[in-house]
Amino acid sequence: MNLIFLGPPGAGKGTQARILAERSGYRQLSTGDILRANVLAGTPLGREAKPIMESGGLVPDDLIIRMIAAEFEGGGPFIFDGFPRTVTQAQALDNLLVRKRRSAVAVLFRVDLSVLIDRLTGRWTHLASGRVYHERYAPPKRPGIDDVTGEPLVQRPDDKEETIRTRLAVYEEQTAPLIAYYDDPADPRLVSVDALGPIDTVTRELVALIDGNGDERRAAG
Ligand code: ADP
Ligand code: AMP
């Protein structure tokens, strides 16, 4: 079963996706990481996406959907992290899932807006790998240095407070409608976790949820 991590920027989706990918054999598919890799490499997609990402807006659906369709060929199960972000993207993902006879459950990260600015302004990122740290909640062993490669960490240009506010408004307007999309009474596919607690508490809740879902599926045959 594939998982779709849904929630505002800073909710902890990437952090948890990486932990589960390491522990449970999921493949993390982060559209933000793929876009940043393209920006870094200066590809045509990266050149088109860069100013949009820096302003806090969303990259056009057709570019994102093409990107995901290519990755989807690689086999799963996937954790979709930061995708879908619009109803159009969610419909495109559903088409891909149907074509491959696969299913997905959306996991909503429930979090108060009040913690997001603090999480994002304190976030430090290793751009090449997508690993993230927080200067207080998940510090690297040496400040400003990636634990694995020893390379420098950076603060993302869109993690400035002003841009964060734009991203949160974009989330409310374009992405929050996906909660109702996945909570459709005719075909409910939404579960949620409390994402306010410490990182390992959220991981435990997620693991219990995924195991529970697996048990139900086994019980249902
Ligand atoms: P998202 O992928 O949802 O935008 P991240 O996983 O990058 O969010 O997390 C945003 C920041 O908050 C990072 O600096 C991360 O280290 C930190 N963080 C993630 N989860 C928690 C948590 N449960 N408590 C405190 N800080 C967290
Ligand atoms: P993220 O790493 O998920 O915080 O995404 C960073 C930025 O990349 C977003 O603010 C958007 O500009 C862009 N982006 C990432 N994923 C998507 C997506 N699914 N659709 C549109 N834009 C995206």
Side-chain angles (χ1 to χ4, degrees), residues 213-221:
N213 249 299
D215 289 345
E216 273 165 36
R217 283 159 58 86
R218 273 193 293 278

Side-chain angles (χ1 to χ4, degrees), residues 159-180:
D159 277 346
K160 284 194 286 288
E161 185 160 342
E162 185 192 322
T163 316
I164 294 169
R165 292 196 188 280
T166 306
R167 288 159 63 204
L168 293 175
V170 168
Y171 172 80
E172 285 305 328
E173 192 181 308
Q174 305 211 45
T175 309
L178 294 182
I179 297 171

Side-chain angles (χ1 to χ4, degrees), residues 17-18 27 32 35 46 105 108 119 148 154 164 187 190 210:
R18 184 167 288 270
R27 258 188 75 197
L35 289 168
V105 168
L108 175 65
R119 285 192 185 175
V148 177
V154 297
I164 294 169
D187 178 22
L190 186 81
I210 293 164

